[in-house]
Amino acid sequence: TIIAIANIFIAIGTLVLAIGIPYAIKSAGLEERDTFYATLDRTYFEIQKLVIEHPHLSQPNPTGKTHMEMIQYDAFAFAVWNFIEAIYDYSKGEKYLAETWGCILRHEAAVHGAWFMRPENRKKFKAAFVEYIERGGNLPGLGDRDSRSRAATL
């Protein structure tokens, strides 16, 4: 009878592990996703604060800008495109992130697209990311919604 009771406890323990391990893995993945989402949110908030403090950064057109404002815009556009590339990188395996941040990616890519298309700037990014933008910037996992209109704005 002791062996039977021990076998029951082993079976229960195995069942708990069989259920618990996948749950723990999924839970850790969700926590990591939420942490990354919060990081993206904070980063984008900082980008928006820069625009509020320096409105010329939201205008890529050089007309009327001083030399210093153009230098600031160049640095700002580079930061924005790095942010866009981070969204691209982390959205590949996360449909949730792609759905949430896809609209921001498309908006910022449309506003600062001319900066990115300059040859001296494109070489600052991974070839796969440049190709992705050239194809119209459709995040993996989102299907092909509005790809023609996005491609026209990039």
Side-chain angles (χ1 to χ4, degrees):
T1 59
I2 293 178
I3 293 176
I5 293 173
N7 284 337
I8 291 172
F9 280 117
I10 290 172
I12 291 172
T14 302
L15 184 61
V16 168
L17 286 175
I19 294 170
I21 290 174
Y23 176 78
I25 290 170
K26 183 177 180 176
S27 178
L30 292 175
E31 188 175 314
E32 182 179 320
R33 180 190 72 188
D34 291 344
T35 298
F36 185 70
Y37 180 89
T39 300
L40 285 176
D41 206 33
R42 260 190 322 279
T43 303
Y44 196 60
F45 178 72
E46 292 300 320
I47 288 171
Q48 294 304 304
K49 279 180 29 181
L50 285 171
V51 170
I52 291 167
E53 293 167 4
H54 307 282
H56 71 274
L57 296 175
S58 69
Q59 301 298 320
N61 186 342
T63 305
K65 288 188 179 182
T66 67
H67 178 69
M68 185 55 68
E69 287 174 336
M70 287 306 300
I71 291 171
Q72 290 171 345
Y73 174 76
D74 189 61
F76 177 76
F78 184 51
V80 167
W81 275 101
N82 272 298
F83 179 74
I84 292 170
E85 188 175 29
I87 293 171
Y88 163 79
D89 286 342
Y90 290 99
S91 293
K92 285 187 230 176
E94 285 286 342
K95 185 176 180 181
Y96 171 78
L97 288 174
E99 288 175 351
T100 302
W101 288 96
C103 57
I104 299 300
L105 181 146
R106 289 186 298 276
H107 168 74
E108 294 297 344
V111 172
H112 304 289
W115 181 93
F116 182 83
M117 296 312 266
R118 294 193 330 238
E120 68 271 19
N121 293 330
R122 291 167 57 128
K123 65 184 178 186
K124 297 174 184 177
F125 300 92
K126 295 185 297 277
F129 177 67
V130 172
E131 291 169 12
Y132 156 77
I133 294 299
E134 288 173 343
R135 287 191 315 269
N138 190 30
L139 284 172
L142 286 183
D144 198 27
R145 302 185 269 175
D146 302 321
S147 63
R148 288 182 300 260
S149 64
R150 281 195 307 278
T153 62
L154 297 175

